[in-house]
Structure formats: structure tokens, C-alpha cells
Amino acid sequence: MYQKILLAVDGSENSIRATEEVIKICQESNHPIQLEVVNALQEVRNSEIVLQQVKPDDVRRDGELRIQPNEEKLRNANIPYTRTIERGDAGKMIANKANNDAFDLVVIGTRGLNGFQKLVVGSVSTEVIKRANCPVLVVK
């Protein structure tokens, strides 16, 4: 069935549920699955650095802290995975990664943590569905 799965996470409740679905898929598989966990960090704009004194390293550290619950679930289930933290537009980055690295499936929550997503429900997952060449499992 699936040999390569890309799990997009951000630590949100929907992201945790997406992780739980991936665990089920991996545990029910008759063969090993190559799992990559990806977290997309929004680029820090110069205006944010000046106005809010946001440092790029703080954004990366915050991203790593947010996805710890996802990684803890995978470790507790003994699911091997690799982790990637990328910067950029989340929807485009996840879809491009899925396409460029020939993933068989992308698993993503319906909506995440950033402020824009709270206004436009599912904007990242919708972008991934439109752009990815492989199946996308959206978990709510």
C-alpha cells in the first residue's frame, strides 16, 4: 500500500489526530513505511523583527516545541520517522515536498495554529490538496 508518508504537523489538536491516524496506518501495514514528519515555519518578515522583536531562531525553537506532542506519540508507538523543519508558505512547501520527494500519501490536519488559518479554515490543507500529486488524507 503506502511506502512513503509525509505527515505535516504543527502541534495543533488536528495535527495530533493526524499523527494518530498515521500511527494506525503504520501499525496495520505489513511492510515498513518510510515516514517523514514536516513542520512548516512561516517566514519572519523584517517588519515583524522590528515591531515585535521576533528572532528567526526563536521561531524555529517555537516550531520545535510545538511539534513535541506529535513526536512523543510516534516514539511511544515505536514508529520510526525522520523530521524536517522548513521555512516558507506551509501549503506550497508541503505540496512541493510531497511532489519532489515522491511521497505516496500526505497526512495533514484540517487546520492549524497560525492566525491566518483561524480566519480561513483549512487554508493550508486546501493548498496541499490542490497542489500535491499524491493522495492527501485530511484529518479533523
Side-chain angles (χ1 to χ4, degrees), residues 54-116:
V54 175
K55 297 176 185 149
D57 288 342
D58 292 341
V59 173
R60 183 175 183 85
R61 191 169 30 259
D62 182 53
E64 290 175 357
L65 290 174
R66 283 184 180 177
I67 66 171
Q68 281 181 350
N70 301 88
E71 290 186 302
E72 186 175 320
K73 284 201 171 283
L74 291 167
R75 283 192 300 271
N76 289 341
N78 293 318
I79 305 295
Y81 66 94
T82 58
R83 177 180 74 159
T84 303
I85 297 179
E86 302 270 348
R87 291 188 188 270
D89 178 87
K92 290 178 185 173
M93 187 280 297
I94 294 164
N96 287 341
K97 183 159 195 56
N99 295 340
N100 294 339
D101 295 345
F103 280 90
D104 300 316
L105 177 70
V106 176
V107 182
I108 188 170
T110 54
R111 65 184 188 132
L113 293 173
N114 77 35
F116 181 71

Side-chain angles (χ1 to χ4, degrees), residues 16-136:
I16 298 294
R17 286 191 285 278
T19 301
E20 292 167 349
E21 286 301 312
V22 165
I23 290 170
K24 289 178 196 174
I25 292 168
C26 290
Q27 289 175 336
E28 293 173 4
S29 176
N30 294 328
H31 62 277
I33 294 176
Q34 182 182 341
L35 175 63
E36 184 167 345
V37 176
V38 65
N39 177 242
L41 300 176
Q42 296 297 329
E43 288 293 325
V44 178
R45 297 184 298 264
N46 288 336
S47 60
E48 290 177 291
I49 292 170
V50 173
L51 295 174
Q52 299 176 17
Q53 298 180 350
V54 175
K55 297 176 185 149
D57 288 342
D58 292 341
V59 173
R60 183 175 183 85
R61 191 169 30 259
D62 182 53
E64 290 175 357
L65 290 174
R66 283 184 180 177
I67 66 171
Q68 281 181 350
N70 301 88
E71 290 186 302
E72 186 175 320
K73 284 201 171 283
L74 291 167
R75 283 192 300 271
N76 289 341
N78 293 318
I79 305 295
Y81 66 94
T82 58
R83 177 180 74 159
T84 303
I85 297 179
E86 302 270 348
R87 291 188 188 270
D89 178 87
K92 290 178 185 173
M93 187 280 297
I94 294 164
N96 287 341
K97 183 159 195 56
N99 295 340
N100 294 339
D101 295 345
F103 280 90
D104 300 316
L105 177 70
V106 176
V107 182
I108 188 170
T110 54
R111 65 184 188 132
L113 293 173
N114 77 35
F116 181 71
Q117 290 173 358
K118 291 176 184 174
L119 297 174
V120 181
V121 176
S123 61
V124 173
S125 56
T126 300
E127 187 74 20
V128 174
I129 290 167
K130 287 193 301 189
R131 293 177 176 267
N133 296 330
C134 65
V136 178

